[in-house]
Amino acid sequence: PKVFQPRTGISYKLGQDTAIRFTYNRAVQFVPISSVDFGEIDPNAYLKTYGKLPPYNVSGQVLAPAFGLPAGTKLPTACGYPGFQVECTSFGEQLYWAAQNWDGIAYQPARPTTSNNYQLTIEHQFTGKFLNGVSLSISPWYRHQYDTIAAEAAPIVKNGVVQVVNGVVQFGPPVLTNNGKEQATGIDFNMTRNVAYGLSAQLTATYINEFSSVIPLSSSEDFYPSISPASIATGNMYRVGFLSPFQGTLALSYHTQSGWRLTPRYTYNIGYPTGVGLLTPLFINGVAYNIPNTNGVPSGTSPAGPSCYVDPNNPGSLFNPNCAAQRGESEAASPGGKLSPAQGFLDLTLEYAPPSSRLTYGMNVSNVFNEIYSGAQLNGRYQPIATGISGPLTGFSTSGINYRPFPSAWPQYGSFMNPNGVYVNIPSGLGRTFYFYIQARL
């Protein structure tokens, strides 16, 4: 498909040292090429997207180059899953279920994802004695996304009725759709001071608040993620789990005329979304509800697990469960509704370049504070005994500790990760590291 991506901007100078700028652009994200190359095609969706049916031969055999089916594949006369099959009513249904029976998943050609992006920037250059050479910019922005691509499994409908077996809604295979939702707002801040000698500095900070219909903390959240059908039906929106709402970097550089340069760089984030959530979306008798997130929910939709563990002897109902124990941590209504602890990292560079020499001698210290852990993550092997009290099997695994290879090996991994608690703290990356170098200027 052809998608236009207009970009425009306008700037206005308010004075000798101040300017304001407004920009707009339209961005596009196409369907993954792997899905286009190897998926089968639902002609009904093809017709809706492209305004015509794909080619097929009149003998009732699907053309393999067009649909990815083996040559000579016969179109079925009965469409649907075993137990829910009815007479096919269109060529589209025949082709769809031919693909289902052969490969299990039929590719639905989804429309490209587009977004409207707006940004307003105010910039100022200071000229006073104390702030001379300091410039700053503040940029609030907003992005609204349309036709967000995500994998979705839709309930099976027969004669207009959602099919339910033993109280469980029956779903078709997941296919790429445009039913996802996503929007984001934020503010970017940048301040700089650049001088030949003395103290130069740069401070950047970003506040970002992004919401999506994808339940956070799943492993595939940030790349064509899977959306719970119940989440789509309820219209839920969640804070994405892979972005910290606030993060910033401060870089200082002190340069002397004798050739010394000291550069500390500090990065900070306020924490990442975490928490299992008190509520979870679920279909009950064909209707989507947000119900208490318990271990009694069939096919629970919270990737991080339940917030409530029901009494096995008196579990109560899905809408009014009898909770015997909880993890003991405060929870928000939605998964990802709280933040993990804040994190900060410091790097330091010291250089000496003698004015009369072509050589520069330097040392760089990465991760000065020796922060080796990635932050608290919910313990997936939690055994509840009572609220706030875990059992002896919490964190237990039959496999041994997999120590990371040198140079990122941490023998204290097992004792410091706190496997018996609500959260575990897993090492990620190198600890404090020293680099020494010599550079020659030609």
Side-chain angles (χ1 to χ4, degrees), residues 255-262 349-363 437-439 441:
H255 196 182
T256 68
Q257 295 187 10
S258 59
W260 287 96
R261 184 174 69 90
L262 178 65
T349 299
L350 178 63
E351 284 187 348
Y352 177 60
S356 59
S357 173
R358 293 178 178 268
L359 299 179
T360 298
Y361 308 90
M363 176 188 71
Y437 57 90
I438 299 177
Q439 295 177 337
R441 298 186 298 277

Side-chain angles (χ1 to χ4, degrees), residues 249-288:
T249 299
L250 174 63
L252 303 176
S253 180
Y254 189 80
H255 196 182
T256 68
Q257 295 187 10
S258 59
W260 287 96
R261 184 174 69 90
L262 178 65
T263 306
R265 301 173 301 279
Y266 181 74
T267 60
Y268 170 86
N269 70 72
I270 200 173
Y272 284 82
T274 186
V276 299
L278 298 175
L279 300 176
T280 186
L282 188 71
F283 274 105
I284 300 177
N285 294 325
V287 181

Side-chain angles (χ1 to χ4, degrees), residues 1-7 25-31 111-117 145-146 149 224:
K2 296 180 176 66
V3 180
F4 292 101
Q5 299 184 76
R7 303 188 179 193
N25 71 79
R26 186 168 184 257
V28 62
Q29 184 180 27
F30 288 97
V31 179
R111 296 180 300 278
T113 296
T114 58
S115 62
N116 288 329
N117 303 270
Q145 197 158 285
Y146 304 89
I149 300 172
Y224 295 112

Side-chain angles (χ1 to χ4, degrees), residues 143-156:
R143 183 182 79 240
H144 188 86
Q145 197 158 285
Y146 304 89
D147 292 331
T148 300
I149 300 172
E152 179 192 0
I156 299 174

Side-chain angles (χ1 to χ4, degrees), residues 372-387:
I372 64 172
Y373 295 100
S374 59
Q377 303 176 27
L378 285 163
N379 193 340
R381 299 188 178 100
Y382 187 83
Q383 181 192 27
I385 297 296
T387 296

Side-chain angles (χ1 to χ4, degrees), residues 24-266:
Y24 163 79
N25 71 79
R26 186 168 184 257
V28 62
Q29 184 180 27
F30 288 97
V31 179
I33 190 64
S34 59
S35 298
V36 175
D37 286 344
F38 299 106
E40 294 79 45
I41 296 175
D42 175 7
N44 289 332
Y46 192 100
L47 175 63
K48 180 179 179 181
T49 303
Y50 300 106
K52 62 181 180 179
L53 281 172
Y56 65 98
N57 62 15
V58 295
S59 65
Q61 295 181 347
V62 182
L63 293 177
F67 302 107
L69 298 176
T73 299
K74 294 291 185 179
L75 298 181
T77 57
C79 293
Y81 291 97
F84 299 103
Q85 289 184 330
V86 296
E87 184 178 354
C88 298
T89 60
S90 67
F91 165 76
E93 286 189 0
Q94 288 180 299
L95 185 56
Y96 180 89
W97 289 105
Q100 293 294 318
N101 294 331
W102 174 65
D103 195 36
I105 298 178
Y107 171 67
Q108 305 264 359
R111 296 180 300 278
T113 296
T114 58
S115 62
N116 288 329
N117 303 270
Y118 308 89
Q119 180 169 299
L120 178 68
T121 301
I122 301 175
E123 299 173 316
H124 181 73
Q125 173 77 44
F126 291 94
T127 57
K129 293 184 179 180
F130 179 72
L131 295 177
N132 186 36
V134 175
S135 60
L136 64 82
S137 67
I138 301 176
S139 303
W141 54 267
Y142 171 72
R143 183 182 79 240
H144 188 86
Q145 197 158 285
Y146 304 89
D147 292 331
T148 300
I149 300 172
E152 179 192 0
I156 299 174
V157 179
K158 179 181 178 181
N159 298 327
V161 179
V162 175
Q163 300 302 299
V164 180
V165 177
N166 297 326
V168 179
V169 176
Q170 303 298 298
F171 294 95
V175 294
L176 292 185
T177 73
N178 295 108
N179 294 330
K181 297 179 181 179
E182 186 173 326
Q183 65 183 42
T185 56
I187 299 177
D188 295 332
F189 175 83
N190 184 39
M191 183 176 67
T192 60
R193 181 178 189 265
N194 295 315
V195 294
Y197 298 103
L199 182 64
S200 297
Q202 181 176 20
L203 172 64
T204 63
T206 297
Y207 166 79
I208 181 171
N209 206 12
E210 181 172 352
F211 285 88
S212 167
S213 53
V214 181
I215 299 177
L217 309 182
S218 61
S219 58
S220 64
E221 181 185 5
D222 58 346
F223 184 76
Y224 295 112
S226 298
I227 299 181
S228 162
S231 179
I232 288 287
T234 55
N236 289 353
M237 295 282 283
Y238 310 89
R239 174 178 283 171
V240 299
F242 52 85
L243 289 176
S244 176
F246 179 81
Q247 50 194 304
T249 299
L250 174 63
L252 303 176
S253 180
Y254 189 80
H255 196 182
T256 68
Q257 295 187 10
S258 59
W260 287 96
R261 184 174 69 90
L262 178 65
T263 306
R265 301 173 301 279
Y266 181 74

